[in-house]
Amino acid sequence: MMSSADNAATHGKTAMQTPPVVSPQDWEAARQQLLVKEKAHTRARDALAAARRRMPWMAVDKTYAFEGPGGKLSLLDLFQGRRQLIVYRAFFEPGVFGWPDHACRGCSMVADQVAHVAHLNARDTTLVFASRAPQADIARLKKRMGWTMPWVTITDSFDADFGVGEWHGTNVFYRDGSRIFRTYFVKSRGDEQMGGTWNYLDITPLGRQEVWEDSPQGYPQTPTYKWWNWHDSYTEGAAPDKRWVEISDAGEKAFRKEAAEGRD
């Protein structure tokens, strides 16, 4: 069999400097060494999310207007009655590369990563994409690409006011009655982590709302894992399924035991 170095030489390319090939025992030892760093990374990520939940809030007193499939919408309307709102500014408009058939390639990559929004909705959180393209073009694009998240048209200075006039970015808002607060903002490479339910929840002021989280006193928290459901089976106000509680309790117990023994 031709080696990677021989293959590279044959095709006139620089040989890849690949890692060594080792025994199963040595491979497992290397994995355990890396796992120490990965656990530290997870703990640091949790601590960072806890710090986000303690960031100061900024009141949003200005009125903003958007266009949705059904007509005009305010920023308050975008919450859809929930307490938390995540708005991703996607570039889809005249002048953007790909128009009118496609949105920005990077923003389209972000859109392709978005998990089913029912899981966010179950945690009192709404995700919305926003662009300057007309609604007819947005509807056409969503149908072509298979995207289902809410997507509104920006009609005023919302993008410039919230740091996304010239670049993509994700803003997070919290609603207390009719009062709105900006709680977090991330852009550039920070947007690369977005798309998954847990990563989205980790940038919200309420977090995942599970009892293990380090959150300020009085924040809503429910037993870990118990709120999880199939995306077509969430029912508002429903108690966790008893069988799922048993299964998740057993899984968490096993996980905690492994963690205590250093085997997770």
Side-chain angles (χ1 to χ4, degrees), residues 44-85:
R45 184 181 62 196
D46 290 340
L48 186 59
R52 289 192 196 103
R53 292 191 287 278
R54 290 166 172 81
M55 269 193 60
W57 296 358
M58 182 190 83
V60 180
D61 298 319
K62 188 174 179 178
T63 299
Y64 294 98
F66 305 86
E67 289 285 344
K72 291 188 178 299
L73 297 167
S74 67
L75 181 59
L76 187 62
D77 291 330
L78 299 190
F79 283 81
Q80 298 179 15
R82 301 183 182 96
R83 280 193 286 186
Q84 302 190 128
L85 171 67

Side-chain angles (χ1 to χ4, degrees), residues 232-250:
D232 64 349
S233 299
Y234 284 109
T235 302
E236 187 174 357
D241 181 88
K242 291 182 179 180
R243 179 56 179 155
W244 171 240
V245 170
E246 294 173 358
I247 293 171
S248 59
D249 278 348

Side-chain angles (χ1 to χ4, degrees), residues 15-262:
M16 288 178 58
Q17 298 299 310
T18 58
V21 177
V22 298
S23 68
Q25 294 77 16
D26 288 343
W27 185 90
E28 181 60 27
R31 190 188 78 87
Q32 290 297 327
Q33 286 183 329
L34 185 60
L35 186 58
V36 173
K37 296 180 179 179
E38 290 177 333
K39 288 180 180 180
H41 175 75
T42 297
R43 289 190 290 269
R45 184 181 62 196
D46 290 340
L48 186 59
R52 289 192 196 103
R53 292 191 287 278
R54 290 166 172 81
M55 269 193 60
W57 296 358
M58 182 190 83
V60 180
D61 298 319
K62 188 174 179 178
T63 299
Y64 294 98
F66 305 86
E67 289 285 344
K72 291 188 178 299
L73 297 167
S74 67
L75 181 59
L76 187 62
D77 291 330
L78 299 190
F79 283 81
Q80 298 179 15
R82 301 183 182 96
R83 280 193 286 186
Q84 302 190 128
L85 171 67
I86 301 170
V87 181
Y88 175 72
R89 200 288 197 222
F91 277 88
F92 178 50
E93 59 196 58
V96 171
F97 177 70
W99 176 267
D101 297 323
H102 282 291
C104 156
R105 288 184 177 180
C107 293
S108 297
M109 283 278 286
V110 173
D112 280 337
Q113 311 309 310
V114 174
H116 202 289
V117 297
H119 303 295
L120 287 175
N121 297 165
R123 293 277 91 175
D124 213 6
T125 304
T126 300
L127 172 68
V128 174
F129 273 44
S131 298
R132 286 196 168 271
Q135 277 296 295
D137 294 296
I138 290 175
R140 171 176 48 79
L141 178 68
K142 288 176 64 178
K143 182 177 180 180
R144 171 176 181 165
M145 301 301 287
W147 298 328
T148 59
M149 74 287 285
W151 197 319
V152 298
T153 301
I154 301 169
T155 66
D156 50 31
S157 62
F158 174 86
D159 46 4
D161 290 351
F162 290 101
V164 288
E166 300 296 332
W167 196 237
H168 62 85
T170 304
N171 276 282
V172 184
F173 302 92
Y174 182 86
R175 179 183 67 84
D176 182 5
S178 61
R179 299 183 66 198
I180 299 174
F181 304 90
R182 187 191 195 194
T183 65
Y184 187 67
F185 173 61
V186 64
K187 64 176 183 177
S188 301
R189 287 201 64 195
D191 271 329
E192 291 179 1
Q193 65 175 321
M194 295 298 102
T197 300
W198 294 291
N199 282 339
Y200 273 131
L201 290 176
D202 282 346
I203 66 170
T204 65
L206 298 183
R208 305 185 190 190
Q209 303 162 54
E210 295 184 338
V211 294
W212 64 270
E213 286 182 302
D214 175 11
S215 291
Q217 185 175 359
Y219 274 42
Q221 291 185 312
T222 60
T224 307
Y225 312 141
K226 304 303 182 291
W227 63 274
W228 296 3
N229 208 338
W230 297 292
H231 74 246
D232 64 349
S233 299
Y234 284 109
T235 302
E236 187 174 357
D241 181 88
K242 291 182 179 180
R243 179 56 179 155
W244 171 240
V245 170
E246 294 173 358
I247 293 171
S248 59
D249 278 348
E252 185 175 9
K253 183 178 179 180
F255 167 75
R256 299 302 176 193
K257 180 180 179 181
E258 286 189 356
E261 296 173 352

